[in-house]
Amino acid sequence: MGIKNNKEEILKISVNNLLSQYDRNTILKVKKLEFNGVDKDVYNITAPFIIDNKTYIAGRVESTESETDSQVMFFIEKNGEWELDENAPIFNLQDPFISFLKDEIIFGGVEIKLENNSINYRTIFFKGKNIYELKKF
């Protein structure tokens, strides 16, 4: 019975209560990121990550007119802006993500396939020692 009451108490916490308890000082600095080297929108970016002392972001790049022409590109931080890494691979994916496992990068995104007048989505994974040698797994 005690556990049930605990769950009921937890469920009664309102969004306003949660917001009032949130430490608003956690956001230290907010600014618009500048992405150079592409003439399309860049969004749904990964968190910045460091490889070989360079800071990268992977971002979804597409024109506002079409969801199906989305690509994921890698950008390197230079002087507070993000420059397209023209040597990095480009993936026909949406919504990139990246993680690290032991000495490998785990990278992925959402693949779109148009079939029978519908859009099908599936998550694709890659791994490698760096972003230039990623292989599907």
Side-chain angles (χ1 to χ4, degrees):
M1 191 86 161
I3 294 174
K4 182 178 179 189
N5 288 338
N6 244 351
K7 286 182 182 178
E8 288 174 4
E9 287 177 31
I10 290 171
L11 293 176
K12 289 181 184 177
I13 297 174
S14 72
V15 171
N16 288 335
N17 267 342
L18 291 172
L19 283 173
S20 69
Q21 294 172 28
Y22 176 71
D23 181 7
R24 297 197 184 274
N25 294 325
T26 30
I27 300 173
L28 302 176
K29 185 176 169 183
V30 176
K31 73 174 194 171
K32 181 180 177 183
L33 300 180
E34 298 291 330
F35 292 94
N36 300 316
V38 294
D39 60 353
K40 296 180 178 182
D41 297 330
V42 179
Y43 63 104
N44 285 12
I45 58 173
T46 63
F49 56 94
I50 298 172
I51 299 174
D52 296 330
N53 297 318
K54 294 179 185 172
T55 304
Y56 293 87
I57 282 180
R60 177 176 173 170
V61 179
E62 68 186 27
S63 61
T64 53
E65 294 83 33
S66 175
E67 173 187 15
T68 58
D69 72 346
S70 181
Q71 295 180 308
V72 172
M73 299 180 184
F74 291 91
F75 298 85
I76 301 175
E77 191 275 326
K78 291 183 181 174
N79 301 318
E81 294 185 0
W82 297 94
E83 301 287 333
L84 177 65
D85 183 346
E86 295 182 2
N87 297 315
I90 296 173
F91 295 89
N92 292 322
L93 299 171
Q94 299 180 343
D95 308 332
F97 56 86
I98 194 153
S99 189
F100 298 88
L101 182 61
K102 296 185 181 182
D103 61 344
E104 286 192 306
I105 296 167
I106 306 298
F107 166 78
V110 178
E111 179 183 69
I112 291 182
K113 293 229 181 204
L114 298 172
E115 296 174 353
N116 301 325
N117 294 327
S118 66
I119 299 176
N120 294 311
Y121 303 89
R122 72 177 181 166
T123 302
I124 305 295
F125 293 88
F126 298 83
K127 67 180 178 177
K129 299 288 182 192
N130 58 57
I131 62 172
Y132 307 100
E133 300 173 7
L134 294 168
K135 304 285 184 218
K136 189 187 279 189
F137 78 100

